[in-house]
Amino acid sequence: YAAEIYEETWQWLNERSCASLINPMLLEQYAMSASRWVQLEGINSQYGFITKTAQGVVTASPFVAQAQAYMKQTNQLWYQIYQVVRENCAVEYRGATPHDDMMERLLTARRGG
């Protein structure tokens, strides 16, 4: 998903004449983090939120904590990108952003499509 997210976000930034203001490395980090988050949420949906240890003790799946960490990182990176848009857009922007579409991406990944 990283390439899709990168392209979609770059296109959104370009439409607002802000693509040149964003460091490509920041955009790459955002896309990679978001794609990993989507992947981990898919794993959580498929295998559940709890697991058993070798000793038979029920515990939280390690994928839950990893997904939460990537979600936090993804949001922080998005806020950095969006701040540049807010500071440099000539008109106030309202409407959907590529980051808003992340829930749709999670649901699509869950269905396997």
Side-chain angles (χ1 to χ4, degrees):
Y1 292 115
E4 266 181 58
I5 294 168
Y6 181 94
E7 184 61 35
E8 184 180 303
T9 306
W10 184 88
Q11 185 64 36
W12 183 83
L13 290 165
N14 194 44
E15 290 169 3
R16 281 143 196 84
S17 302
C18 292
S20 63
L21 302 173
I22 301 295
N23 182 335
M25 184 75 80
L26 176 62
L27 192 52
E28 289 171 8
Q29 288 173 339
Y30 169 73
M32 186 58 71
S33 180
S35 69
R36 288 178 179 164
W37 175 41
V38 170
Q39 181 182 16
L40 286 162
E41 287 297 340
I43 290 170
N44 285 331
S45 293
Q46 185 175 359
Y47 296 111
F49 298 104
I50 58 173
T51 188
K52 283 187 178 180
T53 65
Q55 294 78 22
V57 178
V58 175
T59 184
S61 168
F63 298 118
V64 172
Q66 290 175 0
Q68 289 172 338
Y70 275 109
M71 179 178 64
K72 180 179 178 181
Q73 180 179 347
T74 300
N75 284 333
Q76 289 173 338
L77 292 165
W78 175 252
Y79 294 143
Q80 290 178 38
I81 293 168
Y82 196 70
Q83 186 64 32
V84 172
V85 175
R86 285 181 45 194
E87 291 174 357
N88 293 287
C89 238
V91 255
E92 184 177 344
Y93 176 75
R94 290 181 190 224
T97 69
H99 191 67
D100 295 338
D101 293 336
M102 203 57 59
M103 183 55 74
E104 182 63 34
R105 195 173 304 277
L106 287 169
L107 294 172
T108 301
R110 189 175 287 178
R111 290 190 298 258

